Amino acid sequence: MAARRAGVLVLLGLAALGSCPCAPGPLPCALRAAAAAKMKVVEEPNSFGLNNPFLPQTSRLQPRREPSPVSGPAHLFRLSGKCFSLVESTYKYEFCPFHNVTQHEQTFRWNAYSGILGIWHEWELSNYTFKAMWMRDGDSCRTRSRQSKVELACGSSHRLAHVSEPSTCVYALTFETPLVCHPHSLLVYPALPPALQQRWDQVEQDLADELITAQGHEKLLRALFEDAGYLKTPEESESVQEGGAKAPVFQTLENCSEAHKELSKEIRRLRSVLTQHGIPYTKPAETSSPEHMGPKTPTDGTAEQL
């Protein structure tokens, strides 16, 4: 009895489907109506390309290296760990002192651009003053890496005031802060530890006593700033130089010989200065003999032996 009732219910259901006003066809009316309905397309969520959780980990920002250690005036160290942003056109620029500079495209495109414009590298010094912060080793740009120069300017608050791209993949930023409004706030000498200040004093005294040349004075101060961590050595900066290869010091033997003559002349002058002031010095090994300047010409005795 129960089976007979179930069969009747099935027949009634099929009759109801067949009675709906649909065009004839092999599919039931309800199925054809569902197939004819408009399909809804669900787009992938977008977070402006910034830390998009739907992107694979390899697509997120990945710096090439760690930032350089924090250095420079101690009163600027409080900026470390903070970030300041500026939106221009469809891009958001973010400057994190002593860390990096990044750029994020503010659009609804699923592949909106986000990139690193430079990682904290070193200071730019001018007239013994901290002039700007260099951010290097950013994302690849053709045959080199993106880099940014951040100049510090006096302002009533901490803010990223301006961003431009004066040349391809080289960015110029202006960061305003009240921390640099004092006229002595960016001087290099007060920022040095006492030991390096004494070393600088000695270099200046040697220059005044004519024990070193102006070129030697510049080189000694360069080494001092490198030891302080304000500048990077040429070896440390080699990886971020355009082209990546060092040019030879001397292109020809003639150039090398001319440089050797100039160096010998400078050595004689320095010896005379030391002698004039009664300062003893150790005479270096002689390097002006012919064997250092080119192939040795056989003497008559040597020729006879040959």
Side-chain angles (χ1 to χ4, degrees), residues 124-174:
E124 178 179 309
L125 305 180
S126 177
N127 295 326
Y128 310 133
T129 302
F130 294 100
K131 178 66 175 178
M133 304 177 71
W134 271 104
M135 308 285 185
R136 305 188 191 273
D137 279 339
D139 289 346
S140 297
C141 179
R142 299 179 182 176
T143 59
R144 58 178 179 175
S145 301
R146 301 178 189 271
Q147 56 182 333
S148 300
K149 177 181 178 180
V150 184
E151 294 192 352
L152 306 180
C154 175
S156 58
S157 62
H158 306 306
R159 74 184 189 99
L160 184 58
H162 178 71
V163 178
S164 64
E165 188 177 1
S167 59
T168 304
C169 301
V170 178
Y171 304 84
L173 291 76
T174 301

Coordinates of all heavy atoms in Angstrom, one line a residue, residues 124-174:
E124 N 74.5 60.7 2.8 CA 75.3 61.5 1.9 C 75.7 62.7 2.7 O 74.9 63.4 3.4 CB 74.4 62.0 0.8 CG 75.1 63.0 -0.2 CD 74.2 63.4 -1.3 OE1 73.7 62.6 -2.0 OE2 74.1 64.7 -1.6
L125 N 77.1 63.0 2.7 CA 77.6 64.1 3.5 C 78.1 65.2 2.6 O 78.6 64.9 1.5 CB 78.8 63.5 4.3 CG 78.6 62.3 5.2 CD1 79.8 61.9 6.0 CD2 77.4 62.6 6.2
S126 N 77.9 66.4 3.0 CA 78.3 67.6 2.3 C 78.7 68.7 3.3 O 77.9 69.0 4.2 CB 77.1 68.1 1.4 OG 77.5 69.3 0.7
N127 N 79.9 69.2 3.1 CA 80.5 70.2 4.0 C 80.4 69.7 5.5 O 80.0 70.5 6.4 CB 79.7 71.5 3.9 CG 80.0 72.1 2.5 OD1 81.1 72.0 1.9 ND2 79.0 72.8 2.0
Y128 N 80.7 68.4 5.7 CA 80.7 67.8 7.0 C 79.3 67.9 7.7 O 79.2 68.1 8.9 CB 81.8 68.5 7.9 CG 83.1 68.5 7.2 CD1 83.9 69.7 7.2 CD2 83.6 67.4 6.6 CE1 85.1 69.7 6.6 CE2 84.9 67.4 5.9 CZ 85.6 68.6 6.0 OH 86.8 68.6 5.3
T129 N 78.3 67.8 6.9 CA 76.9 67.8 7.3 C 76.2 66.7 6.7 O 76.4 66.3 5.6 CB 76.3 69.2 6.9 OG1 77.0 70.2 7.5 CG2 74.8 69.2 7.4
F130 N 75.2 66.1 7.5 CA 74.4 65.0 7.0 C 73.4 65.7 6.0 O 72.5 66.4 6.4 CB 73.6 64.3 8.1 CG 74.5 63.6 9.1 CD1 74.9 64.1 10.3 CD2 75.0 62.3 8.7 CE1 75.8 63.4 11.1 CE2 75.9 61.6 9.6 CZ 76.2 62.1 10.8
K131 N 73.5 65.3 4.8 CA 72.7 66.0 3.7 C 71.5 65.2 3.4 O 70.4 65.7 3.3 CB 73.6 66.2 2.5 CG 72.8 66.8 1.3 CD 72.4 68.2 1.6 CE 71.8 68.9 0.3 NZ 71.3 70.2 0.6
A132 N 71.6 63.9 3.2 CA 70.5 63.0 2.8 C 70.7 61.6 3.1 O 71.9 61.2 3.4 CB 70.3 63.2 1.3
M133 N 69.7 60.8 3.1 CA 69.8 59.4 3.3 C 69.6 58.6 2.0 O 68.7 58.9 1.2 CB 68.7 58.9 4.3 CG 68.6 59.6 5.6 SD 67.3 59.1 6.7 CE 67.8 57.5 7.2
W134 N 70.5 57.7 1.7 CA 70.4 56.9 0.5 C 69.8 55.6 0.8 O 70.3 54.8 1.6 CB 71.8 56.8 -0.1 CG 72.2 57.9 -1.1 CD1 73.0 58.9 -0.9 CD2 71.6 58.1 -2.4 NE1 73.0 59.8 -1.9 CE2 72.2 59.3 -2.9 CE3 70.7 57.4 -3.2 CZ2 71.9 59.8 -4.2 CZ3 70.5 57.9 -4.5 CH2 71.1 59.1 -5.0
M135 N 68.8 55.2 0.0 CA 68.2 53.9 0.0 C 68.5 53.2 -1.3 O 68.1 53.7 -2.3 CB 66.7 54.1 0.2 CG 66.2 55.0 1.4 SD 66.5 54.1 2.9 CE 65.8 55.3 4.1
R136 N 69.2 52.1 -1.2 CA 69.7 51.4 -2.4 C 69.2 50.0 -2.4 O 68.5 49.6 -1.5 CB 71.2 51.5 -2.6 CG 71.8 52.9 -2.5 CD 73.2 52.9 -2.8 NE 73.9 54.2 -2.6 CZ 73.9 55.2 -3.4 NH1 73.4 55.1 -4.6 NH2 74.6 56.3 -3.1
D137 N 69.6 49.2 -3.4 CA 69.2 47.8 -3.5 C 67.7 47.6 -3.5 O 67.2 46.6 -2.9 CB 69.9 47.0 -2.4 CG 71.3 46.7 -2.7 OD1 71.7 46.8 -3.9 OD2 72.1 46.4 -1.7
G138 N 67.0 48.4 -4.2 CA 65.5 48.2 -4.4 C 65.2 47.2 -5.4 O 66.1 46.4 -5.8
D139 N 64.0 47.1 -5.8 CA 63.6 46.1 -6.8 C 64.3 46.4 -8.1 O 64.7 47.5 -8.4 CB 62.1 46.2 -7.1 CG 61.3 45.6 -5.9 OD1 61.9 45.0 -5.0 OD2 60.1 45.8 -5.8
S140 N 64.4 45.3 -8.9 CA 65.2 45.4 -10.2 C 64.5 46.4 -11.1 O 63.2 46.5 -11.2 CB 65.2 44.0 -10.9 OG 66.0 43.1 -10.1
C141 N 65.3 47.1 -11.9 CA 64.8 48.1 -12.9 C 65.7 48.0 -14.1 O 66.8 48.6 -14.1 CB 64.7 49.5 -12.3 SG 64.2 50.7 -13.5
R142 N 65.3 47.2 -15.1 CA 66.2 47.0 -16.2 C 67.5 46.3 -15.8 O 67.5 45.2 -15.3 CB 66.4 48.3 -17.0 CG 65.1 48.9 -17.5 CD 65.4 50.2 -18.3 NE 64.1 50.8 -18.7 CZ 64.0 52.0 -19.3 NH1 65.1 52.7 -19.6 NH2 62.9 52.5 -19.7
T143 N 68.6 47.1 -15.9 CA 69.9 46.5 -15.6 C 70.4 46.9 -14.3 O 71.6 46.5 -13.9 CB 70.9 46.8 -16.7 OG1 71.1 48.3 -16.7 CG2 70.5 46.3 -18.1
R144 N 69.6 47.6 -13.5 CA 70.1 48.0 -12.2 C 69.0 47.9 -11.1 O 67.9 47.4 -11.5 CB 70.7 49.4 -12.2 CG 69.7 50.5 -12.7 CD 70.2 51.8 -12.7 NE 69.3 52.8 -13.2 CZ 69.6 54.1 -13.2 NH1 70.7 54.6 -12.8 NH2 68.7 55.0 -13.7
S145 N 69.3 48.4 -9.9 CA 68.3 48.4 -8.9 C 67.7 49.8 -8.6 O 68.4 50.8 -8.9 CB 68.9 47.8 -7.6 OG 69.4 46.6 -7.8
R146 N 66.5 49.8 -8.2 CA 65.9 51.1 -7.8 C 66.5 51.7 -6.6 O 66.9 50.9 -5.7 CB 64.4 50.9 -7.6 CG 63.6 50.4 -8.8 CD 62.1 50.2 -8.5 NE 61.5 49.5 -9.6 CZ 60.9 50.0 -10.6 NH1 60.9 51.4 -10.7 NH2 60.3 49.3 -11.6
Q147 N 66.7 53.0 -6.5 CA 67.3 53.6 -5.4 C 66.6 55.0 -5.1 O 66.0 55.6 -6.1 CB 68.8 53.8 -5.6 CG 69.2 54.6 -6.8 CD 70.7 54.7 -7.0 OE1 71.4 54.6 -6.0 NE2 71.1 54.8 -8.3
S148 N 66.7 55.4 -3.9 CA 66.0 56.7 -3.5 C 66.9 57.5 -2.6 O 67.7 57.0 -1.8 CB 64.7 56.4 -2.7 OG 63.8 55.6 -3.5
K149 N 66.9 58.8 -2.9 CA 67.6 59.8 -2.1 C 66.6 60.6 -1.3 O 65.7 61.3 -1.8 CB 68.4 60.7 -3.0 CG 69.2 61.8 -2.2 CD 70.0 62.7 -3.2 CE 70.7 63.8 -2.5 NZ 71.4 64.7 -3.4
V150 N 66.7 60.5 0.1 CA 65.7 61.2 0.9 C 66.5 62.4 1.6 O 67.4 62.2 2.4 CB 65.2 60.3 2.0 CG1 64.1 61.0 2.8 CG2 64.6 59.0 1.4
E151 N 66.1 63.6 1.2 CA 66.6 64.8 1.8 C 65.8 65.2 3.0 O 64.6 65.1 3.0 CB 66.7 65.9 0.8 CG 67.7 65.7 -0.3 CD 67.9 66.9 -1.2 OE1 67.2 67.9 -0.9 OE2 68.8 66.9 -2.0
L152 N 66.5 65.7 4.1 CA 65.9 66.1 5.3 C 65.7 67.6 5.3 O 66.6 68.4 5.0 CB 66.7 65.7 6.5 CG 67.0 64.2 6.6 CD1 67.8 63.9 7.8 CD2 65.8 63.3 6.5
A153 N 64.5 68.1 5.7 CA 64.2 69.5 5.7 C 63.4 69.8 7.0 O 62.8 69.0 7.6 CB 63.4 69.9 4.5
C154 N 63.6 71.1 7.4 CA 62.9 71.5 8.6 C 61.4 71.6 8.4 O 61.0 72.2 7.3 CB 63.5 72.9 9.1 SG 62.6 73.6 10.5
G155 N 60.6 71.2 9.3 CA 59.2 71.3 9.2 C 58.5 71.2 10.6 O 59.2 70.8 11.6
S156 N 57.3 71.6 10.7 CA 56.6 71.7 12.0 C 56.2 70.3 12.4 O 55.8 70.1 13.6 CB 55.4 72.6 11.8 OG 54.5 72.1 10.8
S157 N 56.2 69.3 11.6 CA 55.8 67.9 11.9 C 56.6 66.9 11.1 O 57.2 67.3 10.1 CB 54.3 67.7 11.8 OG 53.9 67.9 10.4
H158 N 56.5 65.7 11.5 CA 57.1 64.6 10.7 C 56.2 64.3 9.5 O 55.1 63.8 9.7 CB 57.4 63.4 11.5 CG 58.1 63.6 12.8 ND1 59.4 64.2 12.8 CD2 57.8 63.3 14.1 CE1 59.8 64.3 14.1 NE2 58.9 63.7 14.8
R159 N 56.7 64.5 8.3 CA 55.8 64.1 7.2 C 56.7 64.0 5.9 O 57.7 64.7 5.7 CB 54.7 65.2 6.9 CG 55.2 66.5 6.3 CD 54.1 67.5 6.2 NE 54.5 68.7 5.4 CZ 54.2 68.9 4.2 NH1 53.5 67.9 3.5 NH2 54.5 70.0 3.5
L160 N 56.2 63.1 5.0 CA 56.8 62.9 3.7 C 56.2 64.0 2.8 O 55.0 63.9 2.5 CB 56.6 61.5 3.2 CG 57.2 61.2 1.9 CD1 58.7 61.3 1.9 CD2 56.9 59.7 1.5
A161 N 57.0 65.0 2.4 CA 56.4 66.2 1.8 C 56.4 66.1 0.3 O 55.5 66.6 -0.4 CB 57.2 67.4 2.2
H162 N 57.3 65.4 -0.3 CA 57.4 65.4 -1.8 C 58.1 64.1 -2.3 O 59.1 63.6 -1.6 CB 58.2 66.6 -2.2 CG 58.4 66.7 -3.7 ND1 57.4 67.0 -4.6 CD2 59.5 66.5 -4.5 CE1 57.8 67.0 -5.8 NE2 59.1 66.7 -5.8
V163 N 57.7 63.6 -3.4 CA 58.3 62.5 -4.1 C 58.4 62.8 -5.6 O 57.4 63.3 -6.2 CB 57.5 61.2 -3.9 CG1 58.2 60.0 -4.6 CG2 57.5 60.9 -2.4
S164 N 59.5 62.5 -6.2 CA 59.6 62.7 -7.7 C 60.6 61.6 -8.2 O 61.3 60.9 -7.4 CB 60.1 64.1 -8.0 OG 61.4 64.3 -7.5
E165 N 60.7 61.5 -9.5 CA 61.6 60.5 -10.2 C 62.4 61.3 -11.2 O 62.1 61.3 -12.4 CB 60.8 59.4 -10.8 CG 61.6 58.3 -11.3 CD 60.8 57.1 -11.9 OE1 59.6 57.2 -11.9 OE2 61.4 56.1 -12.4
P166 N 63.5 62.0 -10.7 CA 64.2 62.8 -11.7 C 64.9 62.0 -12.8 O 65.1 62.6 -13.9 CB 65.3 63.5 -10.8 CG 65.4 62.6 -9.6 CD 64.0 62.0 -9.4
S167 N 65.2 60.8 -12.6 CA 65.7 59.9 -13.6 C 65.1 58.5 -13.5 O 64.6 58.2 -12.4 CB 67.3 59.9 -13.6 OG 67.7 59.4 -12.4
T168 N 65.2 57.7 -14.5 CA 64.6 56.4 -14.5 C 65.1 55.6 -13.3 O 66.3 55.3 -13.1 CB 64.9 55.7 -15.8 OG1 64.5 56.5 -16.9 CG2 64.2 54.3 -15.8
C169 N 64.1 55.2 -12.5 CA 64.3 54.3 -11.3 C 65.2 54.9 -10.2 O 65.7 54.2 -9.3 CB 64.9 53.0 -11.8 SG 63.9 52.1 -13.0
V170 N 65.4 56.2 -10.3 CA 66.0 57.0 -9.2 C 65.1 58.0 -8.6 O 64.6 58.9 -9.4 CB 67.3 57.6 -9.7 CG1 68.0 58.4 -8.5 CG2 68.3 56.6 -10.2
Y171 N 64.7 57.9 -7.4 CA 63.6 58.7 -6.8 C 64.2 59.7 -5.8 O 65.2 59.4 -5.1 CB 62.6 57.8 -6.1 CG 62.0 56.7 -7.0 CD1 62.7 55.5 -7.2 CD2 60.8 56.9 -7.7 CE1 62.2 54.5 -8.0 CE2 60.3 55.9 -8.5 CZ 61.0 54.8 -8.7 OH 60.5 53.8 -9.5
A172 N 63.6 60.8 -5.7 CA 64.0 61.9 -4.8 C 62.8 62.2 -3.9 O 61.7 62.5 -4.3 CB 64.3 63.2 -5.6
L173 N 63.1 62.1 -2.6 CA 62.1 62.3 -1.6 C 62.5 63.5 -0.7 O 63.7 63.6 -0.4 CB 61.8 61.1 -0.7 CG 61.1 59.9 -1.4 CD1 62.1 59.1 -2.3 CD2 60.5 59.0 -0.4
T174 N 61.5 64.2 -0.2 CA 61.8 65.2 0.8 C 61.0 64.9 2.1 O 59.8 64.8 2.0 CB 61.4 66.6 0.3 OG1 62.1 66.9 -0.9 CG2 61.7 67.7 1.4

